[in-house]
């Protein structure tokens, strides 16, 4: 099993920056990739970014490209999402997820999930 704990969410003004973290513990050697998703009440969960755990390959969709950066620190078993130029529409609960054998955008393919951290961007 892998346990994931997010931190770093909060309230920020539009145009500001925020970094959220996801600390992994347990059988971290089994992780192939980790990802960030976000969800607004009443809407489907949205893919935000993914990083492969060994190689560090990353992918972010066009919706956040140029503003969000995903990274990881293998020594600390921690993944980060640096969010710049935040917009009110980035407001959501941000979840980290880990997969044993997948590195794509489909949330149902991820095996482990954190509890989420709220990010609120005020206009």
């Amino acid at each position: 099993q892998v346990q994931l704990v997010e931190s770093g969410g909060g309230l920020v003004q539009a145009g500001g920056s925020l970094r959220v973290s996801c600390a992994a513990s347990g059988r971290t050697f089994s992780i192939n990739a980790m990802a960030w998703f976000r969800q607004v009440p009443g809407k489907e969960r949205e893919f935000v970014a993914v990083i492969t755990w060994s190689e560090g390959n990353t992918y972010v969709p066009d919706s956040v490209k140029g503003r969000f950066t995903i990274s990881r620190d293998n020594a600390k078993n921690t993944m980060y999402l640096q969010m710049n130029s935040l917009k009110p529409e980035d407001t959501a609960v941000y979840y980290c997820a880990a997969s044993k054998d997948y590195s794509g955008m489909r949330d149902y393919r991820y095996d482990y999930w954190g509890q989420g951290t709220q990010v609120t961007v005020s206009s």
Side-chain angles (χ1 to χ4, degrees), residues 12-17 67 83-88 90 121-123:
V12 63
Q13 288 189 332
S17 298
R67 299 191 300 122
M83 302 180 286
N84 299 327
S85 302
L86 282 162
K87 306 174 182 180
D90 294 318
V121 184
S122 63
S123 58

Side-chain angles (χ1 to χ4, degrees), residues 23-123:
S25 61
R27 298 171 65 88
T28 57
F29 60 85
S30 67
I31 296 174
N32 175 64
M34 293 184 68
W36 288 100
F37 291 81
R38 64 187 181 186
Q39 190 168 26
V40 175
K43 293 189 176 182
E44 292 187 356
R45 193 153 44 191
E46 177 188 7
F47 168 80
V48 175
V50 64
I51 187 165
T52 58
W53 203 240
S54 295
E55 300 84 4
N57 297 325
T58 63
Y59 174 76
V60 294
D62 289 343
S63 58
V64 300
K65 188 173 291 183
R67 299 191 300 122
F68 289 11
T69 302
I70 188 171
S71 63
R72 91 274 192 249
D73 184 333
N74 292 66
K76 296 181 179 180
N77 288 327
T78 301
M79 174 180 66
Y80 305 97
L81 184 69
Q82 177 67 44
M83 302 180 286
N84 299 327
S85 302
L86 282 162
K87 306 174 182 180
E89 51 263 43
D90 294 318
T91 296
V93 176
Y94 283 71
Y95 296 92
C96 68
S99 173
K100 294 181 288 187
D101 58 3
Y102 181 70
S103 59
M105 299 184 290
R106 302 186 188 279
D107 56 357
Y108 62 86
R109 292 292 304 273
Y110 284 82
D111 304 291
Y112 307 104
W113 290 85
Q115 80 289 350
T117 186
Q118 176 72 45
V119 172
T120 303
V121 184
S122 63
S123 58

